[in-house]
Amino acid sequence: MFVCAGCGTELTAPVSRVALPVHTHYGAWEELHPPLMEPATYALDPRPTGPPWRLWDDVGEELAAEQGVYLPQYSVSFGKRDRIVIAPGDSRGTALIPEKCEGYCMGIDGRDGPNLACEGCGRPVATRMDDCGLWQAVWLEPDRVRCVPSGLPAVPVPDWDELDLRTCAVAPVELDGSRSRRWEAAVPVALAHLVAACAGRPVELPGPLADLVGDTVAGYLPAGPPAFTARLAGPGRPVPPSGDGEVLLVPRHPVTGEPWRPPHGTAPVVPLDIGVWAHLVLPAETSPRPATGTLPEGVLRDDYVVPPHRWRWFYPHDRAFSDTLAHLPDIRRPELRAYYDRCSGPGPY
């Protein structure tokens, strides 16, 4: 658990570290969101986040690169690295600082810095964020808290073959029929890594992903005859033979955040959110409605209408794509920068 570095007051419930979700900073505008983190978990963000912000023109390319930003942006964060994010329900021993609770319209956006104070000593220790366009979260300041053992048994990190992929899978459409915001962020993040892995040359998406979102993401990829072919690879699947012109879309481990690696071969790998990856590689559910019991293999429930072959209502999060590119050091390579300069005018981002 995390406690106040000043007085030792407990600030969280017992939590276990997991990978930072790829959709952390990409929500839908004018919309309230659920908590970012699952209960009893926490993650670290290695990038500088939050205020203070400085304009790109005042920062310059060299100093921005030190902050992990390699393309011109409106502003660059000079906030702390390794901030700790937890679900709001796991916070303890804090109180809001009323004068620091500004927001846009529906909640608090953290623009004024830490807005939660330790109830033991009054020191600002964390920031509650829940405004529109933001995933609900509490961000602990790394220099205001310290981690101590909770006394509970440690949760072991599962190996790839120990993961239950069915519990990891995330459908592209929610039960209420709305689009999955996680998909809308995770797919363009992966596409940015894919563009970098292919050095800005055209690439063909794997069939399952192309069938779902191929039409709506075409503008994010370089045009022309494919120079590369992307394939889905990962645990429980036959390892594809390495060949020239191939790149592997692989899952990120939900705890470590590391991408799956093939046991042999030299094909480049591109990390993909494990929830999206698992949905693409597992047999499709026959109904989006919860049910008990099972049906014989191949039998469809009669309350389910098969959706169109392609998902035409998928809207990639534009900033997720451009922001991911901006934080990839490889974007400074001439061929990638040329791709960015060609595409950064009118277009998907």
Side-chain angles (χ1 to χ4, degrees):
M1 63 179 64
F2 289 91
V3 301
C4 176
C7 68
T9 296
E10 294 179 2
L11 302 177
T12 73
V15 288
S16 297
R17 185 173 177 179
V18 297
L20 183 74
V22 297
H23 54 283
T24 294
H25 300 293
Y26 312 118
W29 194 244
E30 298 287 4
E31 182 178 304
L32 292 176
H33 287 54
L36 172 70
M37 304 298 295
E38 293 293 327
T41 66
Y42 78 96
L44 302 183
D45 192 341
R47 288 162 38 175
T49 57
W53 296 86
R54 295 175 57 184
L55 297 178
W56 174 272
D57 292 340
D58 298 333
V59 171
E61 187 172 340
E62 184 175 344
L63 186 54
E66 293 179 9
Q67 298 300 106
V69 181
Y70 305 101
L71 287 175
Q73 307 283 288
Y74 176 75
S75 60
V76 178
S77 171
F78 279 77
K80 298 181 180 68
R81 298 178 185 267
D82 294 325
R83 295 172 77 213
I84 303 119
V85 61
I86 63 172
D90 284 329
S91 63
R92 304 285 189 271
T94 60
L96 283 168
I97 305 171
E99 62 271 22
K100 292 200 170 185
C101 291
E102 293 293 328
Y104 174 69
C105 65
M106 297 182 180
I108 307 168
D109 61 13
R111 68 181 67 183
D112 298 318
N115 54 34
L116 290 174
C118 169
E119 290 183 332
C121 64
R123 294 180 57 179
V125 291
T127 305
R128 170 69 187 257
M129 301 178 71
D130 55 17
D131 205 352
C132 66
L134 302 174
W135 300 90
Q136 293 186 45
V138 169
W139 290 87
L140 303 171
E141 298 297 315
D143 58 348
R144 304 290 179 89
V145 303
R146 56 188 176 91
C147 187
V148 300
S150 67
L152 298 177
V155 178
V157 177
D159 292 331
W160 282 108
D161 57 2
E162 296 174 327
L163 291 173
D164 184 353
L165 296 180
R166 291 192 178 276
T167 63
C168 295
V170 174
V173 179
E174 304 287 356
L175 291 178
D176 63 0
S178 63
R179 303 184 305 274
S180 168
R181 301 305 183 192
R182 180 167 164 179
W183 268 70
E184 290 183 342
V187 170
V189 167
L191 292 180
H193 285 278
L194 184 61
V195 166
C198 298
R201 287 177 284 176
V203 57
E204 182 180 7
L205 293 176
L209 186 59
D211 288 343
L212 277 174
V213 301
D215 291 341
T216 53
V217 304
Y220 289 78
L221 298 174
F228 287 86
T229 299
R231 301 187 186 279
L232 292 165
R237 293 178 62 82
V239 178
S242 296
D244 293 337
E246 286 196 335
V247 60
L248 304 180
L249 281 173
V250 302
R252 293 174 71 242
H253 195 283
V255 177
T256 67
E258 292 298 317
W260 179 86
R261 299 282 180 180
H264 55 78
T266 58
V269 299
V270 171
L272 178 62
D273 179 287
I274 192 170
V276 175
W277 182 90
H279 177 85
L280 293 173
V281 302
L282 291 176
E285 170 60 69
T286 60
S287 173
R289 300 181 184 177
T292 59
T294 59
L295 290 174
E297 184 176 353
V299 176
L300 301 180
R301 283 174 55 183
D302 60 9
D303 63 352
Y304 182 52
V305 178
V306 178
H309 186 56
R310 288 179 180 265
W311 188 23
R312 299 183 183 277
W313 299 276
F314 178 72
Y315 297 105
H317 196 295
D318 287 345
R319 192 166 60 82
F321 182 79
S322 58
D323 189 55
T324 302
L325 278 181
H327 285 83
L328 295 178
D330 282 351
I331 196 65
R332 295 177 294 183
R333 292 162 52 188
E335 62 272 24
L336 276 174
R337 188 57 188 265
Y339 156 78
Y340 175 81
D341 291 341
R342 288 195 306 271
C343 302
S344 59
Y349 62 93

